Amino acid sequence: MRIVIDGYNLIPAIPELRRILHQDIEAGRDGLVEMLRSYRRNSSGNPQITVVFDGKSHHDHGGGKNTGGVEVLFSRHEIADALIVRLLKERHRGAVLVTSDRALGEAAKPFASAVVRTGEFRDRLQQAAFMEEDSPEDEPAVTPRRDTKKKGNPRRAPKNERRRNRQLKNL
């Protein structure tokens, strides 16, 4: 699975990174990339993550840098929203988009499998960080058994909602 993230839209949703961002923009970006690496290590699906930032970095030599499975891109001469839509359209069609920007979400909807709000994704990032701190590396993770008896309303949700829920479950 591929996840495309609007970087400067996600950072303010994470309180500790929001404080860092106001003091040092590069430290805020680095903190987000580190959290995404942690999330990737602790995710069962081992997702490919692309995070897009507006502007350019002092270390940007074109292209993007890939650190620990997290591809970092800078929009350089265009706004990040345009780059994200182009990425989804040309390279990562069917990826999950993480943003709270409604205009970007609407523009990317035809090319993304799901649009996840930054608050939802922030909770998943914090869960991954908690799992990394909490679980010793020697112990295997134990998965709880699920009850196989069917319960609840037999009516199905609409197709696009089922697809979105499947994508969210895989995050």
Side-chain angles (χ1 to χ4, degrees):
M1 175 187 6
R2 168 73 66 173
I3 302 172
V4 178
I5 299 171
D6 184 359
Y8 286 135
N9 197 270
L10 178 59
I11 290 175
I14 304 167
E16 54 269 16
L17 293 182
R18 184 179 340 134
R19 284 189 293 275
I20 293 171
L21 184 67
H22 289 300
Q23 297 166 358
D24 183 7
I25 197 165
E26 198 158 326
R29 287 192 307 247
D30 292 343
L32 177 62
V33 171
E34 186 56 42
M35 287 181 90
L36 292 172
R37 273 194 246 144
S38 171
Y39 172 77
R40 187 172 187 274
R41 278 192 304 269
N42 292 313
S43 293
S44 58
N46 205 13
Q48 298 298 312
I49 299 173
T50 301
V51 61
V52 180
F53 294 105
D54 281 305
K56 63 181 184 175
S57 169
H58 300 308
H59 309 294
D60 189 22
H61 304 291
K65 68 177 185 177
N66 193 328
T67 58
V70 177
E71 181 183 23
V72 179
L73 297 175
F74 291 89
S75 62
R76 300 179 69 107
H77 303 293
E78 62 184 328
I79 61 171
D81 295 3
L83 176 59
I84 290 170
V85 171
R86 197 174 77 235
L87 279 173
L88 289 170
K89 189 175 183 179
E90 297 172 3
R91 287 182 26 201
H92 304 310
R93 186 177 288 266
V96 174
L97 173 62
V98 177
T99 187
S100 287
D101 184 336
R102 288 183 187 188
L104 174 59
E106 287 299 317
K109 203 175 247 182
F111 313 113
S113 62
V115 178
V116 178
R117 311 275 304 158
T118 55
E120 289 178 82
F121 193 71
R122 174 202 58 220
D123 296 342
R124 292 178 187 273
L125 279 176
Q126 290 173 339
Q127 254 181 349
F130 178 73
M131 295 284 288
E132 190 168 83
E133 291 172 2
D134 196 35
S135 67
E137 306 222 2
D138 314 353
E139 274 184 43
V142 178
T143 56
R145 286 191 62 173
R146 292 185 175 203
D147 191 7
T148 57
K149 184 178 176 186
K150 293 185 178 183
K151 301 175 185 174
N153 191 343
R155 294 186 193 146
R156 294 176 79 177
K159 188 175 183 178
N160 60 355
E161 188 176 326
R162 290 194 316 264
R163 183 177 58 223
R164 182 177 188 277
N165 289 338
R166 259 194 321 272
Q167 289 293 332
L168 288 175
K169 189 185 291 185
N170 289 334
L171 282 180

